């Protein structure tokens, strides 16, 4: 295979997002292929409708099967990469100076080909062991899918918390407005109560004052009659004997009638209107607890999705 064909082959097995050989390649609706983790992270960070990173076509679904053919080819391409030699010489065997490209599974160390002949070592080519751990369903890939599912579950829980937080803000706004309206109603109620109390007091005061005025007039008239009778008795003492005896019976009769007229003083009993107390006032504007709980449930509970 010439160099241009090799480059095209390697490019066909390379993810355009991470620019590495495919890891768990998936082909989406538009036909483009990406590593599953790369595409998921790309969609996660975009915060836009899920679309192809290359052609921007909207992806109809999010759950795609692994392209097993490309997965196998990408795995072979990774294993076929030239082995790199560290500039520090750490990958060169001190015994024979050869490259250490075999992996000992017992002590997790690198070996050169001659060193692998010792029976204490259980070895395999480094690229094969690494690739097996990289793409095997029992190794890294098997751990990745559950982690991503838990990530999405946590994102769903986060979204629910955000929605509940927003609903709680709406609930607080509603309660704030309700409180303002209730206290405005209480203020109007107190003004109306004050007006009623003052009008009632004024009306009763006028009625009682009129009673005092009428009683005063009657007492003044009665006093004048008593005073006049007293004057007649005084004058009676100075008339002649015959006139005294003739008029005495008449004046005594009038005195008796006058004394029978006993005027009673006014004892007003104004109505003692109850001034609304704070508890009574709050009872008039008490909101049923069930209604409050209903509002709370409405704004704080969200259906499971």
């Amino acid at each position: 295979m010439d160099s241009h064909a090799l480059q095209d082959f390697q490019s066909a097995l390379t993810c355009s997002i991470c620019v590495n050989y495919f890891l768990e390649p998936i082909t989406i609706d538009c036909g483009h292929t990406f590593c599953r983790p790369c595409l998921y992270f790309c969609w996660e960070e975009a915060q836009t409708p899920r679309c192809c990173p290359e052609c921007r076509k909207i992806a109809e679904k999010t759950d795609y099967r692994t392209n097993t053919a490309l997965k196998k080819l990408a795995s072979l391409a990774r294993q076929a990469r030239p082995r790199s030699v560290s500039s520090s010489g750490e990958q060169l065997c001190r015994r024979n100076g050869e490259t250490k490209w075999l992996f000992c599974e017992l002590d997790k160390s690198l070996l050169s080909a001659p060193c692998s002949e010792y029976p204490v070592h259980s070895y395999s080519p480094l690229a094969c062991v690494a690739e097996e751990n990289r793409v095997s369903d029992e190794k890294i890939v098997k751990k990745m899918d559950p982690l991503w599912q838990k990530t999405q579950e946590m994102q769903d829980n986060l979204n629910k918390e955000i929605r509940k937080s927003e609903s709680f803000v709406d609930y607080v706004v509603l309660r704030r407005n309700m409180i303002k309206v209730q206290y405005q109603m209480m203020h109007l109620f107190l003004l109306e109560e004050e007006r009623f109390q003052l009008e009632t007091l004024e009306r009763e005061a006028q009625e009682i004052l009129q009673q005092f005025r009428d009683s005063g007039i009657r007492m003044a008239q009665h006093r004048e009659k008593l005073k006049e009778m007293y004057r007649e008795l005084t004058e009676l003492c100075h008339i002649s004997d015959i006139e005294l005896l003739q008029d005495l019976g008449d004046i005594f009769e009038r005195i008796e009638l006058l004394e029978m007229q006993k005027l009673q003083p006014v004892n007003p009993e104004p109505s003692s209107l109850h001034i609304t107390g704070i508890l009574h006032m709050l009872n008039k504007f008490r909101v049923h607890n069930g209604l409050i709980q209903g509002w709370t449930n409405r704004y704080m509970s969200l259906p499971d999705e």
Side-chain angles (χ1 to χ4, degrees), residues 57 115 148 179 182 290:
K57 183 178 179 180
C115 292
W148 186 256
I179 290 172
Q182 289 177 8

Side-chain angles (χ1 to χ4, degrees), residues 150-166:
K150 290 184 180 298
T151 301
Q152 296 305 301
E153 290 175 2
M154 190 56 60
Q155 182 62 47
D156 291 340
N157 292 335
L158 175 60
N159 292 338
K160 290 180 180 179
E161 287 295 292
I162 293 174
R163 289 195 295 271
K164 288 196 293 185
S165 175
E166 293 172 350

Side-chain angles (χ1 to χ4, degrees), residues 8 23 37 41 68 140 149 172 234 241 255 263 276 284 292:
D8 291 341
L23 180 67
F41 276 118
T68 55
I140 296 178
Q149 291 177 3
V172 171
T234 302
D241 295 340
I255 290 174
L263 301 181
T276 302
K284 286 183 175 290
I292 289 293

Side-chain angles (χ1 to χ4, degrees), residues 42-57:
C42 181
W43 283 348
E44 185 77 11
E45 296 172 359
Q47 299 296 325
T48 57
R50 293 182 174 91
C51 60
C52 174
E54 290 192 15
C55 66
R56 312 309 296 175
K57 183 178 179 180

Side-chain angles (χ1 to χ4, degrees), residues 229 232-233 235-236 239-255:
M229 189 62 62
E232 289 186 23
L233 289 176
E235 294 176 352
L236 190 61
I239 62 176
S240 62
D241 295 340
I242 186 64
E243 290 177 337
L244 174 63
L245 295 175
Q246 288 177 346
D247 297 336
L248 192 59
D250 178 63
I251 194 170
F252 282 173
E253 183 177 350
R254 288 188 291 117
I255 290 174

